[in-house]
Amino acid sequence: MFDGGDEVRYVAERAAQTFLHENALNTAAFPSLGAIQSELCAWTADLLHGPEGTAGFVTSGGTESILCAVEAARERAHVERGVHEPEIVLATSAHAAFHKAAHLFGLRPRVVDVTVDWTPDLDAMADAVNDQTALVVASAPQYPQGVVDPVEDIAQMAVDVGASCHVDACMGAFVLPFAAMEEPDMWAAPPWDLAVEGVTSISADIHKLGYAPKGVSVLLHRSKALRRYQTFDFDGWLGGRYVTPNLQGTRSGLPMAAAWAVVRFLGTDGYRQLVRRTISAADQIRTGVRAVDGLTVPSGCRHHLLSITADPCTDHPLDPFSVGDAMAARGWHHDRQGPPDGLHLTVSAGNAPVVKRWLSDLAEAVDDVRSSSGTGTAPVNPATVAYSTLE
Ligand SMILES: Cc1ncc(COP(=O)(O)O)c(C=O)c1O
């Protein structure tokens, strides 16, 4: 998963070791971590077309960035518009972390369906947006099918009522910009980042396609004033003034230092190479899967995320979970998702060398499934396995 190669791992490990004992809660005591955080945010803001004044913080991952963005939007709606029953408008394709945030911070989710191309139903979204809307959500791309939402349309709906618009680019922030540089005609997506006027915040996970070790994401706000809604500032404690930028108190300096080192090491050229390798691998996979009678990859995904589903246009659709079981028997792990039932693939550069072997195992797995005509028994949702350990 997210393997940028030996050199990238080495750089990350050296930086991690150096910062193993530092605490990012207090950047006055550990000023280098303050500088690291600022540089990571500035670099990401530049990449995502943040206007002058764009400001951010580093969080522990996509979920925490999303939690903070939702909380900030709720605060903003309350302070600026007197919203007392805040709502969040999102599609069924938006990451589950938005529901976690709504649950934790007391927002009502207004969920709309996706259309045949897996993007949010814009009419339904427009109907759901109202004067209690605190946040409207877009994804670039959404996780299940890897499709980039029409961010301009969605952001405009937020602008119309004075609400915030968050773009979840946790998966896309370190792919889409470099993809557009590499192959503007084939891989560029319509405007989706802070270049879109109504976008107020955006999340970008360096611990995914940024190839840093786990525990680091950047949450950017269009201005310092908007970022202020994310900050917790309490001055009524005997221990003194307590200010935190995210949900944590004491936090390890390790992930942000490792991320800083990786970003500096790779730079634009390094990421461009990794992105080309990644999307070329994903293209090979898409082509190979679509050539299998009974399976397909839903259309619309052009980058690194994709799902494998039964092909509805054939007389012999295959059960993707059975194929998943047969692939698991060959040592391949795929998360399962649905509806519709599907196997999920997040392709990254480290997968490129094994695509040929994966496709050949897929052919064998399909033969196995055809000859046994079984139905997959594994859980539908990847979280199910983890969940059983939490009950
Ligand atoms: C689009 C998207 N947003 C948010 C997240 C949550 O990120 P994390 O698992 O780092 O909390 C993910 C995770 O896969 C994702 O794909």
Side-chain angles (χ1 to χ4, degrees):
M1 289 288 287
F2 309 124
D3 182 4
D6 293 346
E7 286 183 325
V8 173
R9 274 200 310 278
Y10 176 77
V11 164
E13 285 161 17
R14 287 297 305 277
Q17 226 171 10
T18 308
F19 283 81
L20 187 58
H21 302 290
E22 312 233 338
N23 180 4
L25 171 63
N26 190 340
T27 49
F30 298 95
S32 50
L33 288 178
I36 279 173
Q37 179 161 241
S38 299
E39 286 183 30
L40 277 178
C41 290
W43 192 83
T44 312
D46 201 35
L47 183 68
L48 305 183
H49 300 110
E52 184 74 26
T54 296
F57 286 123
V58 170
T59 73
S60 62
T63 297
E64 192 183 12
S65 285
I66 287 169
L67 293 178
C68 291
V70 172
E71 199 261 352
R74 185 200 66 182
E75 286 303 287
R76 179 186 177 214
H78 178 65
V79 171
E80 295 183 11
R81 293 160 51 223
V83 171
H84 288 290
E85 295 183 356
E87 297 183 353
I88 172 170
V89 177
L90 73 173
T92 46
S93 53
H95 196 273
F98 289 100
H99 292 272
K100 183 174 183 173
H103 172 71
L104 289 173
F105 302 135
L107 288 87
R108 178 180 172 212
R110 300 280 303 247
V111 183
V112 304
D113 219 336
V114 289
T115 62
V116 285
D117 66 2
W118 306 103
T119 60
D121 179 334
L122 293 179
D123 291 335
M125 216 166 201
D127 286 346
V129 172
N130 62 54
D131 62 359
Q132 292 301 298
T133 303
L135 184 68
V136 188
V137 174
S139 306
Q142 45 96 305
Y143 171 88
Q145 284 78 29
V147 171
V148 179
D149 288 350
V151 173
E152 286 177 305
D153 295 328
I154 293 171
Q156 187 56 46
M157 292 179 203
V159 170
D160 290 345
V161 294
S164 300
C165 172
H166 181 78
V167 174
D168 175 2
C170 287
M171 275 290 188
F174 289 88
V175 172
L176 301 181
F178 304 113
M181 293 173 201
E182 284 292 297
E183 291 289 349
D185 293 340
M186 283 192 303
W187 294 345
W192 57 274
D193 60 12
L194 286 162
V196 178
E197 201 63 46
V199 172
T200 51
S201 60
I202 191 162
S203 44
D205 290 1
I206 314 183
H207 70 192
K208 294 189 171 73
L209 281 296
Y211 295 97
K214 298 291 170 280
V216 62
S217 167
V218 169
L219 172 58
L220 295 173
H221 298 269
R222 175 169 287 279
S223 67
K224 255 193 173 157
L226 287 171
R227 187 182 68 169
R228 199 156 296 131
Y229 293 117
Q230 185 194 328
T231 310
F232 181 76
D233 186 345
F234 183 66
D235 203 9
W237 178 37
L238 298 185
R241 190 169 170 204
Y242 181 86
V243 186
T244 53
N246 55 31
L247 301 180
Q248 301 165 78
T250 292
R251 58 181 172 136
S252 171
L254 183 159
M256 67 172 76
W260 180 89
V262 168
V263 164
R264 295 274 300 220
F265 176 72
L266 283 171
T268 301
D269 288 347
Y271 280 116
R272 284 180 70 157
Q273 284 172 29
L274 290 173
V275 163
R276 176 168 285 283
R277 211 176 302 156
T278 300
I279 302 182
S280 302
D283 278 342
Q284 267 180 281
I285 291 171
R286 275 184 280 268
T287 306
V289 172
R290 285 177 180 143
V292 174
D293 184 25
L295 292 178
T296 193
V297 175
S299 63
C301 59
R302 288 184 294 135
H303 303 104
H304 56 302
L305 304 180
L306 58 107
S307 66
I308 299 175
T309 58
D311 184 357
C313 303
T314 166
D315 295 336
H316 316 285
L318 279 160
D319 170 32
F321 294 161
S322 299
V323 175
D325 288 347
M327 288 297 272
R330 288 166 172 78
W332 299 101
H333 173 84
H334 299 93
D335 282 344
R336 288 138 206 258
Q337 64 180 33
D341 287 355
L343 303 177
H344 180 90
L345 275 75
T346 295
V347 182
S348 58
N351 301 133
V354 297
V355 169
K356 243 179 156 176
R357 186 153 61 83
W358 184 88
L359 284 169
S360 126
D361 280 355
L362 180 70
E364 283 184 17
V366 164
D367 284 347
D368 281 3
V369 173
R370 287 252 182 260
S371 53
S372 67
S373 69
T375 303
T377 51
V380 173
N381 191 313
T384 312
V385 176
Y387 178 69
S388 63
T389 66
L390 296 177
E391 270 181 314

